Structure formats: C-alpha cells, structure tokens
C-alpha cells in the first residue's frame, strides 16, 4: 500500500494489528480493510470494547486472573470456595480449564515458570502469595496444572516442596481423550504407561 | 540387502559443495581426492542424518556455502530395515537446523530412531590423552546408537544443570529451588548413567565375541573425586549433600557431566593414554567396529560408518583387515583418503567417488574400482 499523510493512521493500525499473535502484515491488512468496510457493525464496537478493556482490565489481586475489578468473579464467588486450588502458569491456562467446566474450585496464576537463567525466581511468580493463600483460604488440595516442560516440572517440584502441610497433586500426563496410541510420541506413551490405573 | 544405507545423497550449498549428488548402493563408499577438495564435507553431511551437530560439532550457520550464504540443505534416501525414508535437513540463512522425514517436519531426535551413524575423525586421534569431554561425547554417541532417547535425557540433565549453576553463581540459598532442580537432574541423570553403562556393556561384549584383528579395550566408567551413585534417589541426595562445595565453586561438581571413560589396552594391560599413537588409533577403530557389531546384534543392521582419513594411519595389512571386517559386517562405511591406491584392497567390494576442487567449488565424480 502506498503511504502518504492521508493513509498514515490506517498504516499505523495495520502495523499494530500485525504485531498480534497469529497475524502477519498480510492478514493484518485484510482485517483492517474488513473493519473499515464494516465500520458501524464491527470497527466502532471493536474500538469501544478495546478502549473499555484498555482502561478497566487488571489482574485480580488474589489469584492473578484478569478481570475488570480488584477481585475476579471466581475469587469473589463463595461457591468456588471448595478448598481446591488449581495452580496454572498463565491466564490462558485458566481459561482452558474454565472452558472444560469441570473444575469447581479456585485458581492461582503464577505468571510463568521458574527459570534461573531468565532471572525468574519464586518472588517473580506469585509463589509467596500462593503459600499465603493456602493458609488463609483453608485449602485442602493444591492441583498443579503446569506444563510438562523442564521449567514447568521444576516449578511443580518447587511448589510441592514448599507446601508440605497440604495435599499436592498434579494433572495426569498420557493419552489424550479421543487419541490413538499410534499417533503418540514415545515420551507420552512412557508417561501414560507409568500413570496406568486399575479398571 | 536390507540393512542401513543411503541410496542417494544430495548436498545443496553445503560448505564447499554447490550441488553434489551421490547415487550409491549398500557397499562401502571410498572417497578420494586432494586435501581441501571437500571429501570430509560429504561425511559431515551424512553425519547430520543423526541428532546433534555433526562430526565437526559445527553450528548450523557454519555449513553455509560462502559467499552466497543462501542457507544449505542435505537430502538422503535412507534405507532402514527394508523401508526407504526420505530425510531432509536444512537451514535457511541465519536460521536453525530443521529436519523433515518423509515430507513431514520432524525433530532431530526422530532421526536417531530411523538411522544410526557412527564416526571416526582425525580430531579424535588424541581422544585418550585429552580432556574427558571428548571421551564422554564418544561414549554418548555410542549410548545414543543403542538408545535413541539418550539425547532427550542428556538435554534435560544439561538444562536443569545450567539452571542450578546459575543459582550457584548468583549465590541463591533457596533450598526448595535447588531441590526442584536436583530432582530433575537426578531423574534424567540416572537415565544418562544407565544408558552409558549399557553402552559400555554392549561394547565390551561385542569385542569379546568378535573375531577381529584389532586390539581389545577394557572399558570402565569413572568419576573424579568420589563414587557417583547411579540411582535417582542416590543422585538426588548426592547433589543435595554437595551444595555447600558447589556454592563455593560456583558450579555443579558431581554428576554424570563429570563421568570419564577409561580404557585399557587388554593385551598389554596398559592404559590407553599411555599407548603409542598407532595403538590408540587401533583401539578407537576396534571400538567403532564393536559398536557396529553390537548394533547389528541389537537391531538387526549395522550402522552407517564415517571413517575420515582412516586409511592413512594404517599399514597395508591393517588396512586390508579393516576393509575385510567392514565388508563382513555389511556396513555402508563412507571412507576418505587422499589417493585411490589407499582403497586398492577393497576392489569391487566398494564404490568410488573422486572429489576435486575448482576455485573453491567441490565436484564429485563416480569412478571405477582402482
């Protein structure tokens, strides 16, 4: 697209859109063009929603989830005070758990995993807050839902070691629901075999 | 023949080769030409059909042909137990090495599952007298050939150890953090040690059972200063107990990363490092052949062997013996030498390639037996 002063704002919008995950310059141009063509139906409502979220979104002071108040809806709900606390790396993981709709307890978002090489220690990860919460909220079980990476597992071991007085569990690793063994890598099959159970 | 061999190898913008195509059968491949013509580059390309950085331990950007710097690509038709796999490994300019197997993106570790490649290069001539790093790498390559998942365990161990070393260097005192990393190191480390022990056992028994003219080496694993526990629990406890000295040193002083491979020339009862240069080389050849025989027993096919400048250091009799043993094993050995006469004893049991250099560009030509 040829640029001049009259199109500079649009070019700026395309540049910003292209920085979003999953979008590149070509798809950003297509999206911006689409929004401009649907100004009333999509562009203006999107702009308004972006503005509102931009001014109101914040981290829940209790769990690290993202909401528009000091305390998120899950932490505010008495129904979610089941005594179970699910620890996740990121808000995206919390949303994934919520989409499944099975877990009825509360969450704690760490904001990453331990990494000495990247200078990410327990203090940077809301781990002290987790330890405080376990005592303050009468938690009976902490469920670690962390990635099966080296850093994820180091973080899991670390938390389990710090929480000696409460039951600590982790999500199972193995065959995905609807999955076929033939398509699994060796590591997953090994993990699944180790975690086998009686029927 | 249903073993492991390449029937086609293509190099594109790889080091001195602008484009090279080699069509081969399962027989050994004898490569000759003057120094600097690009013979070892062919071997290096084959070594990239396994996980790791190849026989020169180079980075992906080092393989790029200059001055074009377009990136590079090596493709091969790999015959493995009756299946033919199309294997590609390549890097875009400035990018990381990528792997495709049968037109699908794959990991480097997957390469270890379909093929096995072992090598002997002149840089390894001083293996027995230099630092333990080289011997560990030699042993790890043997372990990887027997257990392809050895690479995963090694990577996990190294990563967790780097994290722990950072804590030590920064004088972090959090015992829980150390404990979490030591747990990871112990799990992966115990596996690494088990794989290495398996490799030593396999090499020892393959030497004992073989009818070979090359000398036998008694192998053992050692660890500096202290006896290293080999169970996960023992390793974890040892790392925890050693934190104080590790903090003082600023790095991890015990663990599989300090293991050494010791070898004794059995016939003389002399440590390999005290043997003559020729004897040390003969021991290495013996171990490579033992590794190949053990693999043949274990998976039903000998590995592809890459023997760089191996003929130059052997007298005529030893050379003939080596060739006889390779042919008896049925391994596709890619061997280099400066002249065709070095391969005369092979006759038509091998196929021949001449590599020449024309103003910095290598050229590969198929030749008749000398």
């Amino acid at each position: 697209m040829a640029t001049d002063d009259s199109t500079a704002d649009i070019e700026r919008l395309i540049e910003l859109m292209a920085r979003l995950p999953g979008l590149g310059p070509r798809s950003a141009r297509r999206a911006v063009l689409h929004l401009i063509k649907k100004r009333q139906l999509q562009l203006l409502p999107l702009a308004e929603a972006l503005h509102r979220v931009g001014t109101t979104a914040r981290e829940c002071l209790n769990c690290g989830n993202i909401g528009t108040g000091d305390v998120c809806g899950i932490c505010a709900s008495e129904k979610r005070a089941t005594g179970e606390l699910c620890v996740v790396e990121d808000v995206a993981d919390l949303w994934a758990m919520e989409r499944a709709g099975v877990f009825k307890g509360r969450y704690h978002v760490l904001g990453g995993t331990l990494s000495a090489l990247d200078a990410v220690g327990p203090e940077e990860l809301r781990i002290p807050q987790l330890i405080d919460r376990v005592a303050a909220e009468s938690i009976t079980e902490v469920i670690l839902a962390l990635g099966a990476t080296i850093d994820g597992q180091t973080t899991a071991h670390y938390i389990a070691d710090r929480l000696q007085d409460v039951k600590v569990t982790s999500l199972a690793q193995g065959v995905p629901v609807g999955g076929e063994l033939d398509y699994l890598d060796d590591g997953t099959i090994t993990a699944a075999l180790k975690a086998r159970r009686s029927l | 023949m249903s073993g492991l061999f390449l029937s086609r190898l293509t190099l594109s913008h790889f080091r001195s080769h602008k484009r090279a195509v080699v069509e081969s059968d399962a027989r050994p491949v004898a490569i000759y030409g003057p120094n600097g013509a690009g013979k070892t580059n062919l071997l290096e390309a084959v070594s990239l059909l396994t996980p790791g950085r190849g026989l020169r331990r180079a980075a992906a950007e080092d393989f790029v042909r200059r001055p074009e710097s377009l990136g590079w690509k090596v493709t091969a038709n790999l015959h493995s137990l009756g299946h033919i796999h199309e294997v590609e490994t390549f890097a875009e300019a400035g990018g990381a090495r990528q792997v495709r197997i049968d037109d699908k993106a794959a990991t480097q570790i997957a390469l270890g599952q379909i093929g096995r490649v072992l090598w002997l290069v002149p840089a390894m001539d001083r293996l027995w007298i230099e630092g333990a790093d080289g011997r560990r790498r030699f042993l790890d390559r043997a372990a990887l050939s027997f257990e392809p998942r050895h690479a995963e365990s090694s990577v996990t161990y190294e990563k967790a150890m780097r994290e722990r070393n950072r804590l030590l260097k920064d004088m972090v005192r959090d015992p829980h953090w150390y404990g979490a990393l030591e747990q990871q190191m112990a799990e992966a480390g115990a596996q690494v040690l088990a794989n290495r022990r398996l490799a030593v056992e396999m090499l020892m028994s393959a030497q004992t059972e073989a009818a070979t003219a090359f000398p036998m080496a008694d192998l053992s694993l050692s660890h500096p200063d202290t006896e290293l526990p080999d169970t996960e629990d023992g390793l974890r406890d040892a790392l925890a107990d050693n934190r104080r000295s590790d903090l003082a040193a600023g790095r991890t002083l015990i663990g599989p990363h300090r293991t050494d491979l010791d070898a004794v020339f059995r016939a003389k009862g002399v440590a390999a490092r005290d043997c003559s240069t020729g004897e040390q080389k003969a021991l290495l050849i013996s171990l490579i052949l033992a590794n190949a025989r053990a693999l043949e027993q274990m998976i039903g096919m000998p590995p592809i062997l890459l023997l760089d400048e191996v003929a130059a250091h052997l007298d005529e009799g030893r050379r003939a013996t080596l060739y006889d043993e390779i042919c008896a094993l049925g391994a596709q050995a890619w061997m280099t030498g400066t002249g065709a006469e070095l391969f005369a004893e092979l006759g038509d049991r091998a196929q021949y390639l001449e590599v020449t250099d024309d103003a910095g560009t290598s050229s590969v030509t198929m030749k008749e037996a000398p």
Side-chain angles (χ1 to χ4, degrees):
Chain A
M1 190 168 113
T3 56
D4 55 43
D5 283 351
S6 65
T7 57
D9 286 344
I10 297 170
E11 195 61 29
R12 170 84 181 134
L13 178 59
I14 291 170
E15 268 175 38
L16 287 170
M17 294 278 278
R19 291 187 201 171
L20 297 177
L23 288 187
R26 193 189 300 266
S27 46
R29 273 199 296 275
R30 223 167 28 230
V32 167
L33 200 55
H34 176 82
L35 287 169
I36 293 170
K37 281 181 185 166
K38 303 229 170 186
R39 186 182 306 228
Q40 294 299 329
L41 273 175
Q42 293 193 353
L43 178 59
L44 295 176
L46 177 68
E48 193 189 328
L50 284 173
H51 178 71
R52 285 174 66 90
V53 171
T55 51
T56 58
R58 71 189 86 166
E59 274 187 5
C60 169
L61 295 175
N62 198 40
C63 74
N65 187 13
I66 289 174
T68 53
D70 285 344
V71 176
C72 72
I74 297 173
C75 287
S77 167
E78 275 305 314
K79 281 187 184 170
R80 308 290 299 243
T82 60
E84 290 179 340
L85 189 66
C86 179
V87 178
V88 292
E89 283 176 33
D90 199 68
V91 175
D93 302 325
L94 186 156
W95 290 351
M97 292 288 290
E98 281 297 283
R99 277 201 305 276
V102 180
F103 181 64
K104 301 299 180 198
R106 287 178 175 155
Y107 296 94
H108 191 82
V109 182
L110 294 175
T113 49
L114 284 176
S115 171
L117 293 171
D118 296 326
V120 180
E123 305 295 326
E124 284 75 29
L125 286 183
R126 306 174 58 88
I127 289 178
Q129 292 93 320
L130 170 65
I131 291 160
D132 292 345
R133 279 187 75 188
V134 169
E137 296 182 29
S138 306
I139 298 298
T140 53
E141 181 177 355
V142 173
I143 302 163
L144 301 176
L146 302 174
T149 59
I150 296 171
D151 288 343
Q153 292 308 296
T154 301
T155 311
H157 286 304
Y158 179 88
I159 293 172
D161 203 31
R162 293 290 305 267
L163 297 174
Q164 298 284 352
D165 300 328
V166 66
K167 182 180 174 188
V168 181
T169 57
S170 70
L171 293 189
Q173 292 170 5
V175 184
V177 175
E180 293 177 42
L181 287 185
D182 193 26
Y183 287 90
L184 296 187
D185 64 279
D186 298 353
T188 308
I189 289 181
T190 308
L193 194 65
K194 277 187 186 162
R196 69 189 183 278
R197 58 183 181 186
S198 301
L199 288 174
Chain B
M1 190 160 189
S2 61
L4 184 68
F5 67 96
L6 303 182
S7 60
R8 185 183 168 88
L9 175 72
T10 310
L11 278 59
S12 175
H13 289 84
F14 184 86
R15 293 215 189 249
S16 58
H17 295 267
K18 196 166 190 175
R19 181 172 161 77
V21 181
V22 176
E23 305 273 358
S24 52
D25 53 43
R27 288 176 298 164
V29 183
I31 305 166
Y32 59 87
N35 291 330
K39 304 182 294 293
T40 307
N41 295 342
L42 279 177
L43 265 55
E44 187 177 36
V46 180
S47 73
L48 292 176
L49 303 176
T50 54
R53 302 172 68 174
L55 57 73
R56 284 190 180 109
R57 305 191 60 241
E61 64 265 23
D62 296 335
F63 303 129
V64 172
R65 191 183 135 78
R66 303 191 196 282
E68 300 98 308
S69 297
L70 296 171
W72 56 270
K73 190 173 197 176
V74 173
T75 57
N77 289 358
L78 175 70
H79 293 241
S80 175
L81 286 174
H83 298 281
I84 305 176
H85 297 284
E86 267 187 271
V87 182
E88 286 182 1
T89 182
F90 58 96
E92 308 286 347
R97 167 149 103 101
Q98 298 178 60
V99 173
R100 290 178 72 82
I101 299 174
D102 297 327
D103 280 331
K104 307 242 175 352
T107 60
Q108 285 193 35
I109 288 170
L111 285 175
Q113 278 150 357
I114 57 166
R116 305 284 201 283
V117 184
L118 299 172
W119 56 78
L120 195 55
V121 296
M124 289 157 70
D125 287 355
R126 298 176 60 78
L127 189 85
W128 302 114
I129 47 178
E130 286 185 339
D133 285 17
R135 290 186 290 279
R136 260 197 310 278
R137 272 199 301 278
F138 180 78
L139 176 62
D140 281 336
R141 190 141 291 282
L144 183 71
S145 74
F146 298 122
E147 174 48 85
R149 292 186 59 195
H150 183 63
E152 263 175 289
S153 309
S154 302
V155 167
T156 302
Y157 178 82
E158 292 285 335
K159 164 92 167 71
M161 186 180 70
R162 277 201 305 276
E163 291 272 332
R164 186 176 184 271
N165 284 349
R166 174 51 67 92
L167 294 187
L168 294 167
K169 204 163 270 176
D170 294 347
M171 302 295 275
V172 173
R173 305 261 174 188
D174 184 339
H176 305 287
W177 199 345
Y178 281 104
L181 288 168
E182 286 158 4
Q183 175 61 36
Q184 302 261 48
M185 287 173 72
E187 278 172 29
Q191 197 54 57
V192 167
L193 289 172
N195 294 338
R196 286 179 181 163
R197 269 199 314 277
L198 169 77
V200 166
E201 280 165 24
M202 298 289 279
L203 291 175
M204 288 296 291
S205 82
Q207 286 187 101
T208 311
E209 289 162 16
T212 174
F214 287 93
M216 283 183 63
D218 283 322
L219 301 175
S220 59
L221 299 177
S222 67
H223 193 260
D225 310 325
T226 169
E227 197 61 39
L228 187 69
D230 52 10
T231 61
E232 187 181 318
D233 291 348
L235 213 47
R236 190 184 51 233
D237 293 346
L239 285 163
D241 291 344
N242 222 50
R243 271 180 218 161
R244 190 183 291 269
S245 358
D246 288 353
L247 267 166
R251 66 199 163 88
T252 305
L253 295 174
I254 60 159
H257 63 288
R258 304 285 312 272
T259 305
D260 198 355
L261 173 69
D262 298 323
V264 172
F265 194 114
R266 182 181 285 184
K268 291 183 172 181
V270 174
R273 64 178 169 278
D274 298 324
C275 291
S276 74
T277 314
E279 285 169 337
Q280 291 187 19
K281 181 88 179 182
L283 280 180
L284 279 176
I285 294 174
S286 174
L287 289 175
I288 289 282
L289 290 173
N291 195 344
R293 286 191 191 96
L295 271 175
E296 212 270 335
Q297 286 278 317
M298 187 180 183
I299 58 174
M301 55 185 187
I304 292 172
L305 299 175
L306 307 175
L307 307 175
D308 191 21
E309 298 288 352
V310 75
H313 296 276
L314 299 175
D315 59 43
E316 211 169 297
R318 269 270 166 82
R319 238 170 22 222
T321 309
L322 173 65
Y323 298 155
D324 288 346
E325 292 194 18
I326 287 171
C327 292
L329 193 59
Q332 189 185 49
W334 294 63
M335 296 175 280
T336 63
T338 43
E341 69 284 355
L342 290 168
F343 303 107
E345 296 86 355
L346 271 167
D348 56 11
R349 293 180 296 172
Q351 48 213 318
Y352 297 85
L353 301 175
E354 186 180 21
V355 181
T356 49
D357 169 70
D358 180 18
T361 300
S362 297
S363 141
V364 182
T365 321
M366 288 291 293
K367 291 282 181 181
E368 292 299 316

